[in-house]
Amino acid sequence: MKSSINIILKYRLFLIIAAAAALIFTFTDVSQSKILKDQLGRVVTISGKPERIVALAPSITEIIFALGKGSLIKGATQYSNFPERAKKIPRIGSYVHLDIEKIVALRPDLCVAVKDGNPQFVIKKLEALKIPVYAVDPRNIESVIETLKELGVLLDASKKSKAVIQNMQERIDKIKKIVAKADHIPKIFFQIGISPIVSVGTNTFVHELICLAGGTNLARGNISYPRYSKEQVLAFSPEIFIITSMARGGLFEKVKLEWSRWSDLPAVKNDRILLVDSNIFDRATPRLIDALEVLAKLIHPELFTTEIKRSQK
Amino acid sequence: MNKKTPVVLKRMIFISLSFLLLLAGAMLIGLSMGSTKGGFKAIWEFVVSGSADDSVLNAIIWQIRFPRVLVAALVGATLSVGGLIFQAILKNPLAEPYILGISGGSAIGAIIGILIGLSRFPGINIIAFSGSIVTLLLILVMSSGKSTLIKDSLLLSGVMVNAFCSAVIMFLISLTQDFRLHNIMFWLMGDLSSSDLYQAKILMLMLFPCFILIFLYSNTMNLLLLGNELAITMGVNIKAVTMTLLVVTTFMVSAIVSQCGLIGFVGLVTPHLLRLLLGSDHRILVPACILGGSTYMVICDLLARILPAHGEMPVGVITAMIGAPIFIILLKKTKT
């Protein structure tokens, strides 16, 4: 009898403490937390100052580093290799195949997800485990800027985000000004896949970059990553081939040789089969502007010669 | 007969209980291990005192691992019992839903369901079931005819149907160009990583009645093995029994495929092993297959989770790596 009373007493005490703790906790939590709508239209409640962030895609890691908050990232996905410091963050699987267990074990107070790519069920599960998930959708320059703004607010880095955005916009304007002088807009075949031949459609950021850099994307259309046969590409008669280095080693040389066999192609006549570093072309981050500058110089070298000479002096 | 039955009953209960213990052990290990350490201690604490201190580890164990272990057990049970039934009814030790293309048929249905954007339940389930029923009919029609050849022709037509199914799957995949592709590919190899409690509940609701039905037919399966004529004299309606069991099995397999993808060879490994251990009485084999198959699958899933240093493997890869060599050994044995 006595022991059971004791147990009840013990429990009561525990209950009171727990209730009080919960009350205090919710109180402080509500006063500091932010209630936001993310890019999926979900309403997310996030504690005032997230300190343990898990970034569910390499682009997110990069954007958070750009905001100067990289030290808050406690978990990142495979291939989060930029900046150099990001390589040391514990891995939580790849962005399509996340290791939920590892994420939970990191005890994050915020997960930043991407709208396309992260499986829906992972997001739901994390939410069921009371981990706030904020989804963003960086897929072109505009949405990268939007993401920078939102994460700036979220991570208390609005100043930095404004500076980054301003820098991006200034550089875009500069390129636009230079490219506007071009008297010819060449037809470009941007090849991201070797076998099968894959290019980029209208709703990709590479398309946007090509247009901004003063080129026409031959593969524009509804399909994001259209496949082509060799015949179709030849029928386009591209003036410039741009091939990403996704396939490393000697593969680029091989592909170049392959296209060079068609000596009637304008691109071959003018020797304009070009290689770009895929690293800056595969993620929607502030580095898109680097990619834009690279592209513009590749497509319109004549417009940049004066500038290069100037900088060499 | 009357005097013998209690002995069988005793043996069945004894064997079932020992397999149940085995399954419980495998599930506890499955709950304890994963990419986060410290699971054994937490599980031990839970077993001893009914609660654990570490709330994060608790969440990992009960909300992430538990549904998964549960689904793995259900998958293993279904596929093993499916294999057992196919082997008994088709009188072919090599028959199995995966090898005969039943799984492939439901996979085609499921992929079509995914591509047109149906929900996992019930939309994809229904299409997957229709797909597998079509392949079942195909196999039965193709292999019917000369009865002396039936053993080989069944397997051959199954292999052909399976090859055709793979071709259709490849065709559907080549049509897909967006991010769903990766999901489909992983799902095809048999993926349990997206399991949740809701899924486990749905599967249980669908599968448990089937298990009971199959158990009720276990004695009939014994009679079928004695040969058709004898079975008929014992009062078995062969056509009705065969059709019921085949359709029920196909239903179960398609439910599993639509939820977890293609997981092969489980229906081959467990029934054979158990038959070696326990003899060929289906009254014992059915419960043993359900429990033993679950145990096998829980362990395979555990391997899929802990073997790779980063991320995880699709569990279908593990079952195929274990199962395919066994299939070849069996094939060699039955030929000579």
Side-chain angles (χ1 to χ4, degrees):
Chain A
M1 220 21 216
K2 219 177 176 183
S3 65
S4 66
I5 289 171
N6 262 340
I7 289 171
I8 293 170
L9 273 177
K10 221 171 163 183
Y11 265 91
R12 195 196 279 162
L13 197 66
F14 173 75
L15 277 177
I16 290 169
I17 292 170
L23 208 73
I24 292 166
F25 191 70
T26 46
F27 218 76
T28 51
D29 207 33
V30 166
S31 60
Q32 286 180 359
S33 65
K34 294 173 186 150
I35 298 172
L36 297 156
K37 209 174 205 180
D38 71 0
Q39 287 182 18
L40 275 171
R42 296 155 55 253
V43 177
V44 190
T45 311
I46 290 156
S47 75
K49 249 191 173 177
E51 274 164 356
R52 301 187 61 82
I53 302 170
V54 169
L56 302 186
S59 57
I60 308 282
T61 306
E62 218 177 300
I63 290 174
I64 293 176
F65 265 102
L67 292 171
K69 294 284 180 185
S71 57
L72 299 181
I73 305 177
K74 303 299 172 200
T77 50
Q78 220 179 336
Y79 307 120
S80 297
N81 52 9
F82 188 88
E84 198 58 31
R85 269 166 64 211
K87 287 182 184 167
K88 288 185 188 131
I89 301 171
R91 302 283 119 151
I92 49 152
S94 73
Y95 77 104
V96 278
H97 228 82
L98 296 158
D99 188 337
I100 304 179
E101 231 187 272
K102 274 197 182 141
I103 299 175
V104 176
L106 288 168
R107 302 160 198 256
D109 51 11
L110 174 66
C111 282
V112 183
V114 285
K115 189 179 152 201
D116 283 339
N118 287 152
Q120 206 80 43
F121 79 86
V122 174
I123 294 176
K124 278 188 193 144
K125 204 164 230 175
L126 288 173
E127 277 176 336
L129 291 161
K130 305 251 159 40
I131 296 172
V133 182
Y134 190 87
V136 292
D137 186 22
R139 64 198 136 71
N140 52 28
I141 294 176
E142 194 195 336
S143 55
V144 167
I145 289 177
E146 186 58 31
T147 305
L148 279 165
K149 266 186 206 160
E150 286 181 21
L151 290 184
V153 173
L154 214 63
L155 306 180
D156 234 359
S158 297
K159 236 187 197 169
K160 181 79 182 165
S161 79
K162 264 180 206 145
V164 174
I165 292 166
Q166 203 189 348
N167 172 272
M168 285 170 69
Q169 255 147 4
E170 278 167 9
R171 285 162 72 195
I172 295 170
D173 289 343
K174 201 173 155 199
I175 294 286
K176 270 186 183 163
K177 232 185 238 165
I178 295 172
V179 169
K181 291 180 214 149
D183 43 9
H184 175 65
I185 296 178
K187 292 185 290 179
I188 291 163
F189 188 76
F190 197 100
Q191 193 177 350
I192 59 167
I194 311 288
S195 158
I197 300 166
V198 183
S199 188
V200 289
T202 304
N203 50 20
T204 60
F205 58 77
V206 179
H207 171 85
E208 188 185 18
L209 295 180
I210 293 172
C211 296
L212 278 174
T216 317
N217 179 19
L218 284 168
R220 64 186 174 275
N222 286 330
I223 304 165
S224 298
Y225 298 101
R227 284 174 222 165
Y228 288 97
S229 67
K230 201 169 274 175
E231 250 182 76
Q232 286 168 314
V233 178
L234 294 177
F236 276 147
S237 70
E239 290 168 76
I240 302 176
F241 274 97
I242 298 177
I243 299 160
T244 62
S245 61
M246 205 103 100
R248 276 155 239 276
L251 250 179
F252 167 70
E253 288 304 318
K254 225 169 140 190
V255 177
K256 189 177 175 182
L257 211 71
E258 192 64 38
W259 290 124
S260 301
R261 279 169 45 207
W262 315 96
S263 49
D264 284 342
L265 280 181
V268 178
K269 270 186 204 155
N270 304 320
D271 191 22
R272 304 207 58 191
I273 299 175
L274 310 164
L275 170 76
V276 289
D277 178 9
S278 73
N279 259 326
I280 50 172
F281 280 94
D282 43 352
R283 281 170 213 162
T285 69
R287 278 200 294 163
L288 279 185
I289 311 302
D290 297 358
L292 174 62
E293 287 167 352
V294 168
L295 262 187
K297 280 173 197 166
L298 281 179
I299 297 172
H300 295 291
E302 74 283 357
L303 297 175
F304 288 86
T305 44
T306 51
E307 198 186 320
I308 291 165
K309 272 177 198 159
R310 218 183 296 149
S311 65
Q312 274 170 348
K313 274 174 194 173
Chain B
M1 189 87 187
N2 274 342
K3 269 186 185 173
K4 265 187 183 171
T5 320
V7 178
V8 170
L9 195 70
K10 256 188 211 162
R11 193 162 169 246
M12 191 194 86
I13 289 172
F14 174 71
I15 288 172
S16 301
L17 278 180
S18 18
F19 272 102
L20 198 64
L21 261 173
L22 218 64
L23 174 62
M27 285 178 96
L28 281 181
I29 297 174
L31 286 177
S32 311
M33 292 175 79
S35 54
T36 323
K37 290 192 175 63
F40 277 111
K41 201 172 147 250
I43 286 289
W44 178 247
E45 272 168 22
F46 177 80
V47 171
V48 173
S49 62
S51 69
D53 315 324
D54 193 334
S55 64
V56 170
L57 202 58
N58 242 348
I60 287 175
I61 288 171
W62 295 111
Q63 298 191 44
I64 296 170
R65 289 185 197 160
F66 181 62
R68 194 170 168 159
V69 168
L70 216 57
V71 171
L74 288 167
V75 169
T78 305
L79 295 180
S80 305
V81 124
L84 183 73
I85 292 171
F86 270 58
Q87 285 148 27
I89 286 184
L90 305 173
K91 297 188 188 69
N92 188 324
L94 298 172
E96 196 243 9
Y98 180 75
I99 292 166
L100 291 185
I102 304 288
S103 304
S106 41
I108 292 178
I111 292 179
I112 292 174
I114 293 175
L115 287 180
I116 55 179
L118 291 175
S119 65
R120 256 195 178 178
F121 182 84
I124 290 179
N125 246 324
I126 292 168
I127 298 197
F129 181 52
S130 342
S132 52
I133 282 288
V134 170
T135 47
L136 176 70
L137 290 178
L138 256 177
I139 296 163
L140 290 179
V141 168
M142 278 167 73
S143 62
S144 64
K146 286 175 194 162
S147 56
T148 44
L149 285 173
I150 208 153
K151 251 189 175 178
D152 290 332
S153 67
L154 180 77
L155 207 61
L156 276 180
S157 38
V159 168
M160 282 341 284
V161 169
N162 205 1
F164 180 68
C165 287
S166 314
V168 175
I169 290 171
M170 284 302 152
F171 168 70
L172 289 172
I173 285 175
S174 71
L175 286 183
T176 323
Q177 300 206 338
D178 52 15
F179 62 96
R180 282 177 300 185
L181 183 69
H182 191 97
N183 283 343
I184 291 178
M185 289 301 281
F186 216 83
W187 169 86
L188 260 184
M189 288 187 274
D191 178 24
L192 295 175
S193 67
S194 61
S195 333
D196 52 32
L197 265 186
Y198 174 70
Q199 192 186 19
K201 275 181 205 158
I202 284 179
L203 282 177
M204 276 196 246
L205 268 179
M206 288 197 284
L207 298 176
F208 280 172
C210 298
F211 288 158
I212 293 169
L213 187 79
I214 289 164
F215 181 67
L216 292 178
Y217 272 110
S218 56
N219 205 18
T220 320
M221 277 193 265
N222 282 345
L223 297 175
L224 278 179
L225 278 184
L226 297 174
N228 286 355
E229 278 142 46
L230 207 59
I232 289 168
T233 52
M234 298 288 278
V236 177
N237 184 347
I238 291 183
K239 241 186 192 163
V241 170
T242 310
M243 276 334 277
T244 319
L245 282 177
L246 283 182
V247 170
V248 167
T249 314
T250 309
F251 170 73
M252 289 178 11
V253 170
S254 67
I256 290 294
V257 169
S258 61
Q259 299 291 330
C260 309
L262 286 181
I263 299 171
F265 298 103
V266 181
L268 201 78
V269 175
T270 0
H272 273 280
L273 239 121
L274 291 173
R275 223 177 275 129
L276 273 178
L277 273 174
L278 307 171
S280 57
D281 187 342
H282 282 79
R283 285 170 293 182
I284 289 165
L285 276 178
V286 168
C289 257
I290 291 174
L291 296 168
S294 321
T295 313
Y296 174 68
M297 199 62 201
V298 168
I299 292 170
C300 281
D301 175 51
L302 179 66
L303 290 178
R305 275 187 292 150
I306 61 172
L307 279 186
H310 284 289
E312 56 186 56
M313 249 187 258
V315 70
V317 174
I318 304 261
T319 58
M321 278 203 206
I322 300 174
I326 293 181
F327 179 78
I328 293 166
I329 292 167
L330 287 173
L331 197 67
K332 252 313 227 198
K333 260 191 176 169
T334 47
K335 285 278 150 151
T336 48

